[in-house]
Amino acid sequence: KTWQDCDYKEALEAATGECTATVGKRSNGKFSVATQTCQITPAEGPVVTAQYNCLGCVHPVSTKSPDLEPILSHAVQHFNNRTDHSYLFALKEVKGAQRQVVAGWNFQITYTIAQTNCSKENFLFLTPDCKSLLNGDIGECRDNAYVDPQLRIASFSQNCELFPGEDFVQPPTKICAGCPRELPVDSPMLKEVLTHSVAKLNAENNETFFFKIDTVKRATVQVVAGQKFAIEFTASATSCSKESNEELTESCEIKSPGQSLHCNADVYVIPWEKKIYPTVKCQSLGMISLMKRPPGFSPFRS
């Protein structure tokens, strides 16, 4: 069956996965996966105690298998000998490989190659001095090779496409799906989170006047069971008293001079439950004046 014709297993027997991928679109309209990482959770159902191999069937092979090395070496040399590119190319990454046992072995390998700093004018073959160029051209290849029982490459075919270096999406140096990432302080993602944070601040303090967020200094978001926001901000007292107003509104202006706070908020957002759980901790910065201060004036009260 093709994968489109396959059904999911029953929940008890089905492993599940969560993947992060960087996919780039070429100028010719084709897509290319630059990086992909998957976290697979095993099934809790029946355990497979025996595996029956089909010797004549096509099976996946580890991309790090030593059996691939002579084929890949031949493939890169084959490309360099037949292409009209003025520079030599070197192996970049093996994307996938399959093997079939016949009277010998059939291999199918998918890999990428990268332009090096060695020109064909000065180098006949790749040497240790040939280094891949960061912005050099990139090739994507799919090869078929037949290795006879004497371990000789008896048959070989190659299909490669070349792309300009700037047309290739370079993968990030590090992908960490569960790590905090910086957010712009004016990100629309923060609007609702900040509203709940200042509401929590005003509900928990004993001040006479409502406080309003003055400046957002830093913000991060982290994917957990939902999203976790960490925000550093300053808040200032407004002209709206809790006695005369039920809640903070846009019309509440910051008082000058007025009390100011330095705050850190941790906010958990669970979108599918439409719930937000803020925690806010603040320290007083004392009375702050919004008027222009003379040189040397300190706004902080001890």
Side-chain angles (χ1 to χ4, degrees):
K1 290 184 178 181
T2 62
W3 66 267
Q4 294 95 332
D5 297 326
C6 294
D7 294 324
Y8 293 117
K9 284 193 172 185
E10 295 297 326
L12 190 63
E13 299 181 10
T16 56
E18 184 173 308
C19 299
T20 301
T22 302
V23 182
K25 190 175 184 180
R26 302 288 190 184
S27 57
N28 63 0
K30 291 187 177 181
F31 289 93
S32 174
V33 176
T35 61
Q36 180 172 286
T37 57
C38 290
Q39 301 281 340
I40 304 298
T41 304
E44 297 179 0
V47 177
V48 178
T49 56
Q51 185 174 352
Y52 302 93
N53 292 322
C54 168
L55 292 179
C57 296
V58 176
H59 293 286
V61 181
S62 168
T63 56
K64 300 184 184 301
S65 171
D67 293 343
L68 302 180
E69 292 177 6
I71 303 172
L72 289 167
S73 177
H74 174 85
V76 173
Q77 185 176 339
H78 180 91
F79 177 85
N80 285 327
N81 288 343
R82 284 162 176 76
T83 183
D84 57 0
H85 201 285
S86 56
Y87 282 80
L88 295 175
F89 280 69
L91 179 67
K92 183 175 176 65
E93 181 185 6
V94 181
K95 298 283 190 177
Q98 294 180 319
R99 177 174 56 195
Q100 179 186 26
V101 177
V102 287
W105 300 268
N106 285 326
F107 287 88
Q108 185 180 86
I109 311 174
T110 304
Y111 58 95
T112 58
I113 52 178
Q115 178 186 340
T116 70
N117 57 347
C118 293
S119 68
K120 290 182 178 179
E121 184 180 355
N122 298 321
F123 291 84
L124 292 177
F125 304 100
L126 285 172
T127 72
D129 295 325
C130 299
K131 306 297 181 185
S132 297
L133 297 175
L134 184 62
N135 296 317
D137 293 346
I138 297 292
E140 294 179 354
C141 301
R142 185 182 181 122
D143 297 354
N144 291 285
Y146 166 63
V147 178
D148 65 20
Q150 288 74 43
L151 303 182
R152 296 172 301 191
I153 300 174
S155 174
F156 182 82
S157 65
Q158 184 176 68
N159 182 18
C160 292
E161 285 188 272
L162 277 182
F163 303 96
E166 62 272 12
D167 191 35
F168 184 74
V169 177
Q170 294 293 339
T173 54
K174 178 182 178 182
I175 291 181
C176 178
C179 295
R181 61 181 178 88
E182 294 285 337
L183 282 177
V185 294
D186 58 351
S187 169
M189 291 178 67
L190 296 175
K191 185 176 181 180
E192 187 177 13
V193 176
L194 288 171
T195 299
H196 282 79
S197 297
V198 76
K200 183 76 169 178
L201 165 63
N202 285 318
E204 292 185 341
N205 70 25
N206 296 320
E207 299 293 335
T208 306
F209 293 88
F210 282 106
F211 277 75
K212 187 176 186 177
I213 293 178
D214 188 6
T215 305
V216 178
K217 294 188 172 183
R218 184 172 179 264
T220 62
V221 64
Q222 181 179 5
V223 177
V224 287
Q227 292 176 309
K228 177 185 176 183
F229 291 85
I231 312 166
E232 181 184 352
F233 62 89
T234 58
S236 299
T238 69
S239 55
C240 295
S241 68
K242 294 180 180 179
E243 183 179 354
S244 305
N245 299 269
E246 292 185 1
E247 61 183 12
L248 178 71
T249 64
E250 289 292 331
S251 61
C252 297
E253 298 292 338
I254 293 175
K255 292 171 65 176
S256 180
Q259 181 73 14
S260 186
L261 303 173
H262 177 269
C263 302
N264 287 282
D266 289 321
V267 187
Y268 289 91
V269 179
I270 307 177
W272 56 90
E273 294 182 3
K274 296 183 179 179
K275 293 182 179 179
I276 297 178
Y277 301 97
T279 303
V280 184
K281 295 181 180 179
C282 297
Q283 291 180 327
S284 175
L285 293 176
M287 298 296 290
I288 301 291
S289 174
L290 298 181
M291 297 174 63
K292 186 175 181 180
R293 307 180 185 99
F297 178 87
S298 175
F300 304 110
R301 180 193 292 176
S302 59

